[in-house]
């Protein structure tokens, strides 16, 4: 997927439609698999993950506005930033002893985000 040539409005529309669809589909699963008191923590972990992933994705789109960033290795920097930011958030969940549901919501949302990027790459034909 070439980040310089995709239509950002369409990409964002598909991303948020995908999130909404996943939220609707996850409701019956979380009712049966997550305890009542912890369901909000599961969704909070997922929301934190999706907001972090979207912020990092917006950083990856930044060289479209400032072309000099693509020549300085900025896209490679966002890969390391993403890794260490996600690792830091997961470590924080463990150090502050958040319930497992928050960590699992974060991880599931992270992998669902990666799955969306795989689908977007496949359907973009690049």
């Amino acid at each position: 997927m070439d980040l310089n040539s995709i239509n950002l409005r369409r990409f964002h529309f598909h991303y948020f439609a995908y999130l909404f669809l996943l939220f609707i589909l996850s409701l019956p699963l979380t009712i049966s698999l997550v305890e009542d008191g912890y369901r909000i923590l599961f969704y909070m972990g997922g929301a934190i993950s999706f907001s972090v992933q979207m912020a990092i994705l917006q950083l990856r789109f930044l060289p479209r506005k400032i072309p000099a960033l693509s020549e300085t290795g900025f896209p490679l920097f966002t890969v390391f930033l993403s890794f260490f930011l996600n690792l830091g958030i997961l470590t924080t969940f463990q150090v502050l002893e958040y319930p497992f549901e928050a960590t699992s919501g974060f991880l599931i949302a992270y992998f669902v985000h990666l799955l969306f990027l795989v689908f977007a790459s496949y359907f973009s034909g690049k």
Side-chain angles (χ1 to χ4, degrees), residues 13 16 61:
F13 173 75
F16 288 113
F61 289 135

Side-chain angles (χ1 to χ4, degrees), residues 4 7 9 15 27 35 40 44 46 55 69 72 79-80 90 98-99 120-121 126:
N4 292 324
N7 183 347
R9 285 184 188 223
Y15 188 79
L27 286 174
E35 294 179 27
I40 189 72
M44 268 185 23
L69 287 177
T72 61
V79 171
F80 292 112
L90 286 172
Y98 269 63
S121 293
K126 299 187 183 216

Side-chain angles (χ1 to χ4, degrees), residues 29-72:
L29 288 173
T30 57
I31 288 172
S32 62
L33 298 175
V34 180
E35 294 179 27
D36 288 336
Y38 294 109
R39 195 170 303 127
I40 189 72
L41 288 174
F42 178 82
Y43 284 117
M44 268 185 23
I48 291 170
S49 178
F50 277 123
S51 62
V52 166
Q53 304 317 319
M54 192 50 141
I56 291 171
L57 198 58
Q58 293 305 316
L59 282 177
R60 289 190 182 140
F61 289 135
L62 199 57
R64 292 177 71 157
K65 303 272 188 214
I66 308 168
L69 287 177
S70 62
E71 299 164 3
T72 61

Side-chain angles (χ1 to χ4, degrees), residues 15-33:
Y15 188 79
F16 288 113
Y18 177 76
L19 287 182
F20 184 72
L21 179 67
L22 283 175
F23 175 72
I24 297 299
L25 292 175
S26 73
L27 286 174
L29 288 173
T30 57
I31 288 172
S32 62
L33 298 175

